[in-house]
Amino acid sequence: NNEGFHAVSAFLRPEHFYEPVHGRIFSAIAAQIEAGRLADWVMLRRQFEQDHELIDLDGARYLAGLARAAETILNVEDYGRQIHDLAVKRGLIQIAEQVLAKAYDPDIHETGGEQIGQVMGQLDGLGHHAENAVDAIRPIDPALILETPRPPREWLVDQYIPAGRVTLLAGDGGTGKTLLSQQLAICMAAGKSWMGATVRPGKVAMLACEDEETELARRLHDICGGLGIAHDDFEDRLAIICRVGKENRLVKFEQGEGSPSGFWHHLCRWLDTHRPQLLIIDHAAQVFTGNENVRTEVTWFCNRLEYLCQKFGLSILLLCHTSKAVGSQYSGSTGWSNSVRSRLLIEHDPDNPDLRRLIRPKTNYAKMDNQGVSLAWSNGMLKPERDDLTTYADLLTRQQEEGRIAQIFLDALDYLTTRLI
């Protein structure tokens, strides 16, 4: 019954069958049905007349026996899932045997950590296939959704970085992307505003792949000094991870097919343990080694970052360069812009070369802002040109001072009113 194929085609593949000849039979059935033709044992008999394995099994009779023993249309999905599950278990056995063999082999010079990274990659791929089989398609329930209150829009940085999604921060070399993002990390960890925007306080991690520890330390001193932040303001909420000179690619591509790297699995374990609300990655060229001009590779990579957001409940700020073209807002395929919900740009102010501008050229959840905030470099950090937007602490102090002055005025007014009465 060809309708049975559609019940299993979303998750079952020829390689899931234990007997190779059964996999080839399933592949032939799939090719016929997907081409709009009827697949039956007569067609298969003609197609497999020269198949040596089937000839050894008495060819036509074997196919006819399979047809007679086929599952009913009602049971075919359950049977298909059993085949898939057994394939996953065979994969686990194979991985376990490889692990034992390599661990015992004295001639293999890979470290234990390197072997663990490889095993995690294999397990992740196996688990991904298993997840797809268990829950290939899961529609949302509109009735259930409408019975609950409308969920509020959540921002990590108000109007700039939406919670739980990937945001792209682009800029030419030397415009201050890393400095700006390190300031954001410090402000979020210490509960300060950032460039005049409200920031949700929380844990933040920064993968610094381009600056050495001494430079990161200098910036930490400058930023904390400029914002009046002490080390105990962070508690355990700030993790700046220096990755200069290390293997930083998160994914690898072979013949256009992407797969997670060993570092990807190390990062996943770290995120699962420490659970930051924001992950800053500096920058894309270090962690993405595919072709930035190939949209499918870029989209696949961005989708894997979205997977991290969903799995670990975090937001990601990904830094990248602009291209050499005048007016460029990022480098490579349009997939970079299309795959993220928010995109920020830091650029030199055309009217004042001593200033930068931070603008929002793309935002799916807020108003676009191509004017942006003007930023000036001052004592090792970037500050809004307007003094009244320096820090959240300054704003709070100013509000408190204004409130104190207003209260003095009201007290004086009450006193004069009492004297007049």
Side-chain angles (χ1 to χ4, degrees), residues 364-381:
N364 283 30
Y365 309 131
K367 183 179 179 180
M368 289 177 57
D369 179 13
N370 288 318
Q371 298 301 315
V373 178
S374 290
L375 308 175
W377 191 90
S378 174
N379 296 322
M381 60 179 293

Side-chain angles (χ1 to χ4, degrees), residues 5 14 17 19-33 39-41 43-45 47-48 51 53-54 57 59 62-64 66-67:
F5 173 76
F17 290 84
E19 293 288 351
V21 67
H22 290 170
R24 293 200 299 276
I25 292 172
F26 182 80
S27 180
I29 292 172
Q32 286 291 111
I33 294 174
D40 57 17
W41 79 274
M43 175 278 298
L44 292 173
R45 183 185 62 185
Q47 190 164 342
F48 283 89
D51 190 288
E53 287 191 38
L54 263 184
L57 294 171
Y62 185 76
L63 288 171
L66 285 180

Side-chain angles (χ1 to χ4, degrees), residues 92-281:
L92 284 172
I93 293 170
Q94 184 179 19
I95 292 172
E97 290 174 343
Q98 291 174 351
V99 169
L100 285 173
K102 293 184 73 172
Y104 276 114
D105 191 341
D107 296 326
I108 293 180
H109 301 295
E110 294 172 344
T111 66
E114 291 172 338
Q115 291 186 32
I116 289 173
Q118 294 173 3
V119 172
M120 291 301 295
Q122 292 174 296
L123 290 174
D124 183 75
L126 198 61
H128 180 67
H129 290 303
E131 288 176 4
N132 287 345
V134 171
D135 190 17
I137 299 175
R138 187 179 62 182
I140 64 173
D141 186 347
L144 183 61
I145 289 175
L146 293 175
E147 289 176 358
T148 60
R150 179 184 182 275
R153 175 74 64 204
E154 295 187 6
W155 294 92
L156 204 70
V157 179
D158 188 38
Q159 308 300 303
Y160 284 91
I161 301 179
R165 302 306 301 267
V166 177
T167 294
L168 197 68
L169 171 59
D172 197 5
T175 51
K177 298 184 300 298
T178 303
L179 175 59
L180 191 66
S181 61
Q182 189 170 346
Q183 285 184 221
L184 172 59
I186 292 170
C187 288
M188 181 174 172
K192 306 289 185 180
S193 67
W194 176 72
M195 305 303 155
T198 302
V199 178
R200 180 195 298 177
K203 297 178 70 173
V204 56
M206 180 176 182
L207 289 182
C209 302
E210 300 206 319
D211 287 303
E212 71 280 7
E213 287 191 15
T214 52
E215 178 59 29
L216 294 169
R218 280 191 290 266
R219 289 176 176 168
L220 185 64
H221 276 279
D222 292 340
I223 295 168
C224 290
L227 297 177
I229 296 173
H231 65 85
D232 54 355
D233 293 331
F234 298 130
E235 296 181 0
D236 62 345
R237 295 191 294 266
L238 179 64
I240 299 177
I241 304 165
C242 182
R243 296 285 305 177
V244 172
K246 298 181 180 179
E247 173 55 70
N248 293 315
R249 62 177 177 174
L250 289 175
V251 298
K252 51 189 176 181
F253 290 89
E254 296 180 2
Q255 298 179 341
E257 292 291 328
S259 61
S261 68
F263 180 50
W264 167 277
H265 301 291
H266 288 302
L267 178 62
C268 286
R269 290 197 299 275
W270 191 89
L271 293 174
D272 192 34
T273 301
H274 296 277
R275 293 286 172 168
Q277 282 81 56
L278 174 64
L279 173 64
I280 299 172
I281 302 177

